[in-house]
Amino acid sequence: MKTENIKTAARILLGANLIFAGISHLTFARKAFKAQVPDWVPLKKDDTVVYSGIAEIALGTALVLTPDKHKATVGKIAGAFFTAVFPGNIAQYTQHRSAFGLDTDEKRFVRLLFQPALVYWAIKSTSNEDKRFSVKKLLRFRR
């Protein structure tokens, strides 16, 4: 299978997962998502969950539908989003909050390891380069 086809499938899968997660923020998993909102966030927990759900739906839609010339930018925005919500995963771990089947500190800690993978997935699946991804390129993105 061609690299571009794999990247397209990965991008669409990530976008679809974000759309699903966003819908779940607004509906059946709203209470569980509140467990991830850190206490220091200056908004009501429910408002934070709603706003992040809307953002996920918009971001997922952008990943699926954005024209080729804007894919890399959307991927960087998605990577930044996954970085921005990481404190919520940390709060769930440090405050021992159970949600989504993460009912032990070990499970909550393992969940933390997946966030960098989401950042990588967002950037790699939307990059305009066929070359291998490297940390050096990621650091260049931060400039």
Side-chain angles (χ1 to χ4, degrees):
M1 186 178 267
K2 288 185 175 182
T3 302
E4 196 57 39
N5 292 341
I6 293 169
K7 287 172 55 173
T8 298
R11 177 179 48 82
I12 291 171
L13 182 61
L14 181 60
N17 279 312
L18 275 167
I19 293 167
F20 176 78
I23 291 169
S24 68
H25 273 69
L26 305 177
T27 57
F28 64 91
R30 202 157 167 172
K31 182 178 179 181
F33 278 108
K34 288 181 190 179
Q36 293 182 314
V37 178
D39 292 332
W40 50 262
V41 172
L43 302 170
K44 293 179 185 175
K45 288 185 186 294
D46 192 57
D47 290 349
T48 302
V49 170
V50 168
Y51 298 147
S52 63
I54 292 168
E56 286 184 337
I57 292 168
L59 192 52
T61 302
L63 281 166
V64 171
L65 300 177
T66 297
D68 287 348
K69 69 179 186 175
H70 299 296
K71 281 190 310 191
T73 300
V74 171
K76 290 173 186 175
I77 293 168
F81 176 81
F82 290 131
T83 302
V85 300
F86 189 56
N89 302 112
I90 294 170
Q92 184 177 8
Y93 172 71
T94 60
Q95 296 172 5
H96 314 287
R97 295 178 179 168
S98 295
F100 304 111
L102 304 175
D103 54 4
T104 67
D105 283 343
E106 292 78 21
K107 289 178 184 177
R108 289 184 283 264
F109 179 78
V110 169
R111 167 62 181 91
L112 295 177
L113 303 177
F114 285 95
Q115 208 68 13
L118 288 172
V119 173
Y120 176 83
W121 185 357
I123 292 170
K124 181 65 176 171
S125 70
T126 58
S127 72
N128 291 326
E129 299 178 15
D130 282 335
K131 298 176 186 173
R132 302 193 108 232
F133 179 81
S134 70
V135 173
K136 186 176 183 179
K137 290 178 188 174
L138 180 61
L139 293 175
R140 189 171 60 224
F141 154 72
R142 293 176 19 141
R143 289 184 198 162

